[in-house]
Amino acid sequence: IATTATGLIIWDEKIVLVENKKRGWELPGGHIENGESIHEALKRELNEEAGFIDAHTIEMFGYNEIINPDIEKLNKATNKSYPKYAYNPHYIIEAKSKPIGCQDDSCHNIGFFDITAEEIQNSKVRDIIIVGYTHYLIKKA
């Protein structure tokens, strides 16, 4: 079961990250709400967190497994318990236009970074970013 989805947005050869006050710089994305497909949730989350609406391509490049030790914890988006095992798919998105920034209170900043930027190197999702960006470069070559 996929419970969240994230996007590695590439705009003007830069990686787009959003800054969350609690988690720092990360990929935009979030929870899949009741009745949403993964792609619908991804598009909604990318718009909410990055002000992004226009893509050349959207392609899945990987996922990570989430093991939930607390099955009593409720998902705020669905008001249901998280499953014991879930998946978070990751997508590469080539942007046609520049994302304009956070449209809700889930984040407070947007940044455009080279792969070597300190914000990427210090991100909790650094490895996911590197894998996705490598996949992007290989496909582009």
Side-chain angles (χ1 to χ4, degrees):
I1 255 181
T3 58
T4 60
T6 57
L8 175 64
I9 301 171
I10 307 291
W11 181 79
D12 195 26
E13 300 300 317
K14 302 285 187 194
I15 297 167
V16 178
L17 298 180
V18 294
E19 189 176 23
N20 177 288
K21 290 178 183 175
K22 293 179 185 175
R23 296 184 301 268
W25 290 101
E26 62 186 5
L27 295 171
H31 291 289
I32 299 167
E33 295 180 359
N34 286 330
E36 279 186 320
S37 70
I38 294 171
H39 279 208
E40 290 168 339
L42 180 65
K43 288 179 181 181
R44 177 185 50 75
E45 288 287 349
L46 295 179
N47 183 43
E48 289 173 3
E49 294 192 0
F52 173 78
I53 56 171
D54 205 8
H56 280 295
T57 59
I58 299 176
E59 180 182 337
M60 187 174 150
F61 70 86
Y63 66 90
N64 63 301
E65 182 180 49
I66 302 163
I67 300 172
N68 178 25
D70 181 8
I71 59 172
E72 300 301 317
K73 182 179 176 185
L74 294 180
N75 177 322
K76 292 177 187 174
T78 63
N79 204 32
K80 293 181 180 178
S81 295
Y82 285 100
K84 178 73 175 167
Y85 300 99
Y87 296 91
N88 177 19
H90 309 295
Y91 293 84
I92 295 173
I93 297 101
E94 289 185 83
K96 288 183 184 178
S97 57
K98 184 178 183 178
I100 59 173
C102 199
Q103 304 297 301
D104 66 11
D105 62 356
S106 63
C107 52
H108 70 279
N109 200 3
I110 188 170
F112 304 88
F113 303 102
D114 290 319
I115 192 69
T116 58
E118 183 178 328
E119 292 84 354
I120 289 176
Q121 299 308 312
N122 293 330
S123 174
K124 291 179 181 177
V125 294
R126 178 184 72 88
D127 293 347
I128 294 167
I129 294 168
I130 290 171
V131 168
Y133 192 69
T134 301
H135 181 85
Y136 165 75
L137 291 176
I138 290 169
K139 286 208 54 122
K140 188 177 160 187

